[in-house]
């Protein structure tokens, strides 16, 4: 078992269920992603580029699906949270019912298409 998978399975509820559902949606929609354990959280790479990360915030009560883009998205931008971050944006989920597959997949796909290799194009 990969360290990132063990991390997900060791989370308390509802974080574990949310993370597992997100994992299934991401891995079935983007079959070439590579799940790694970076910066102490599950982190996906696609074509050797940072794709997104899953960060449960137990203190704040949500799971952040973080991704990189410095532009507004054409679709579903109203769901995207920036918290004054310039490059990192996220979708946040407090329960399974909040996860809309169409929104998640569309946002991740569009954000990925906007990125270049590595952080800030380096």
């Amino acid at each position: 078992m990969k360290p990132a998978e063990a991390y997900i399975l060791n989370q308390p509820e509802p974080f574990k269920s949310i993370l597992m559902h997100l994992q299934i949606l991401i891995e079935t929609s983007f079959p070439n992603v590579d799940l790694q354990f970076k910066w102490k959280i599950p982190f996906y790479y696609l074509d050797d580029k940072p794709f997104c990360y899953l960060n449960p915030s137990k203190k704040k009560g949500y799971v952040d699906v973080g991704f990189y883009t410095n532009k507004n998205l054409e679709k579903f931008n109203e769901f995207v949270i920036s918290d004054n971050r310039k490059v990192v944006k996220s979708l946040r989920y407090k329960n399974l019912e909040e996860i809309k597959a169409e929104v998640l997949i569309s946002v991740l796909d569009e954000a990925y298409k906007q990125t270049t290799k590595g952080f800030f194009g380096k």
Side-chain angles (χ1 to χ4, degrees):
M1 180 180 305
K2 292 182 173 185
E5 292 169 339
Y7 175 87
I8 290 169
L9 291 175
N10 287 324
Q11 294 301 305
E13 291 296 345
F15 303 102
K16 180 170 133 178
S17 294
I18 294 169
L19 289 165
M20 289 175 69
H21 188 67
L22 292 168
Q23 181 183 14
I24 290 167
L25 289 173
I26 292 167
E27 291 179 10
T28 56
S29 300
F30 303 96
N32 294 326
V33 292
D34 179 29
L35 179 60
Q36 298 181 20
F37 195 64
K38 300 274 186 165
W39 302 286
K40 300 181 182 178
I41 56 174
F43 208 113
Y44 282 102
Y45 280 76
L46 182 59
D47 300 326
D48 295 324
K49 296 178 188 176
F51 182 60
C52 69
Y53 62 82
L54 306 177
N55 187 21
S57 177
K58 295 174 195 82
K59 238 182 191 180
K60 297 180 181 177
Y62 58 75
V63 173
D64 228 10
V65 178
F67 52 91
Y68 303 96
T69 183
N70 58 0
K71 301 175 186 173
N72 286 333
L73 303 178
E74 291 181 22
K75 283 182 74 177
F76 304 118
N77 197 59
E78 65 273 18
F79 296 100
V80 175
I81 298 166
S82 65
D83 280 347
N84 296 318
R85 299 173 290 189
K86 293 180 180 177
V87 177
V88 176
K89 310 241 191 281
S90 63
L91 297 170
R92 290 191 178 150
Y93 302 107
K94 293 183 178 184
N95 57 57
L96 284 172
E97 293 74 27
E98 291 182 351
I99 301 171
K100 306 289 183 245
E102 179 188 4
V103 173
L104 173 71
I105 301 313
S106 176
V107 165
L108 290 179
D109 186 52
E110 187 177 346
Y112 179 72
K113 288 176 180 172
Q114 292 178 358
T115 62
T116 57
K117 188 170 179 79
F119 295 101
F120 305 105
K122 293 180 182 174

